[in-house]
Amino acid sequence: MLEIPVIQGRGFRNVVQDGRTTGFQFQLRNPNYRGFAASLLDGIDVIVDGEKIPSHVPLWTLQGRTVDLDQLRESVDLRWQLDELATITVPRPGGLGPGVHRLEIVIHVRRSYFPPAVSRTPFTTERSMVIVPDAPEGGLKFGVSTYSYTGDIYSTMTLDDVLADVADMGATGIEILGEGNIPSYPNPDPTWIEHWRERLDTLGLTPNNYGSWVDTTRWHDRTLTVEEGAAQLQTDLRLAHRLGFDSVRPKFGVVSWNLDPHPIWSDVVERSLELAAELDVVICPEIHAPTPIDHPVTQGYIDFIERTGSDHFKLLIDTGIFNTAPVLEMSEEVEIGDGGEIPPHLRPLAVPISDLVAVLPHVHFIQAKFAEVDDTLTDMHVPWTQIIAALQDAGWNGWLSSEYEGRREPYRGNDQVRRSHALLRTLASRR
């Protein structure tokens, strides 16, 4: 599916030829109500970060052919269809630097059915775009959670669109929500699984973490039994394995504001460890605000690891626990108390980075939770400089999976995830 904005979120990148960065490019949806001959195009004005590019400079790529403005005007069989994208390449030695750029566009189209004095019609649009640098080789791995696209997925974007978006920004890992992203869950059609695997292979994506739920309050009159909970977890372990994932995050029902998991959790997991080992899938409970690292819940998981000696039960850290400022615009609505006082469960924990370092030997996966990265690539809540430094100093080389949980305007998720990756990769490259 094409995005509604004329300037597409995908396709904004620097152009590298023979090892040199020679310019940048972006993609456009046809802004007209019909397709038309490319010879009716009369140029494009490009303003990037306030700098205007002469209209004859950009190159157009339509239907696999790249032409300049004169060739565009003289073309006979070239068209711009409504369902096809145009790629605009702007020659510029050195390209654009990593980060956020403001792109303003005016597309000029001649309309034969308008009087000559007004036949040259301008289509004007603008959008903030992000240049994401390449990830440094070795060390940390960078992925994206489909949760970042909540509100867009299945409305303005398909799952295939999301996967393409993740690959387009140069991420290599994909994290999904089992019940959110798998059609006919828990029994997807084998042809869908085959398509999933082929799609990931084509895009160069690695399935890394599968989100699941053990809903202990599924029924009104009783909670899940251990047997029922184990059956649910094992269903997801098997399905995750079929889809190529090597870790599963089970979200157990909780019994307190500190997110104490329902008491059946340990028996449910213990009954599933043999299967997890057989499938080579790691079960990763989540350390999520308002539960800090130095807490009985976390210690209970660590005690379980040490008691069982299993390599298939480890921790998943959600970086929302490191927030230094409150996030009040949550995607899942939780009411603020009377008088505007921030309730305890929404107050920033500001967990010390030293606490993270202490448990890193038990950490399998990190959800790089964030809510706002601004135009200067500054996260408004999470201290990424310290986190990245601590991970690199400790030699931790697992996945950082960007998980956007902020405002849900259309396409805001894919823009924010790009900002997250630009920030994280820039920090990782500095050391």
Side-chain angles (χ1 to χ4, degrees), residues 297-344:
V297 169
T298 308
Q299 189 58 50
Y301 293 144
I302 293 174
D303 291 344
F304 183 91
I305 294 172
E306 294 175 345
R307 177 175 64 80
T308 62
S310 175
D311 292 330
H312 290 86
F313 184 82
K314 296 185 179 180
L315 302 179
L316 182 152
I317 299 293
D318 182 290
T319 57
I321 64 175
F322 302 108
N323 283 354
T324 57
V327 180
L328 300 181
E329 294 174 314
M330 304 296 289
S331 61
E332 296 184 68
E333 299 297 332
V334 179
E335 292 185 4
I336 305 298
D338 293 338
E341 181 180 359
I342 300 172

Side-chain angles (χ1 to χ4, degrees), residues 190-230:
T191 58
W192 182 87
I193 294 179
E194 181 179 0
H195 172 77
W196 161 265
R197 287 184 170 273
E198 290 176 351
R199 184 72 169 153
L200 295 193
D201 186 60
T202 298
L203 295 173
L205 294 176
T206 298
N208 52 27
N209 188 58
Y210 171 110
S212 72
W213 286 261
V214 180
D215 289 319
T216 52
T217 56
R218 184 181 301 178
W219 292 283
H220 287 275
D221 58 344
R222 68 177 180 85
T223 59
L224 239 58
T225 65
V226 170
E227 291 76 14
E228 291 166 334

Side-chain angles (χ1 to χ4, degrees), residues 239-252:
L239 185 49
H241 176 70
R242 291 177 67 193
L243 298 179
F245 290 92
D246 65 5
S247 72
V248 167
R249 179 235 60 194
K251 182 81 79 171
F252 292 100

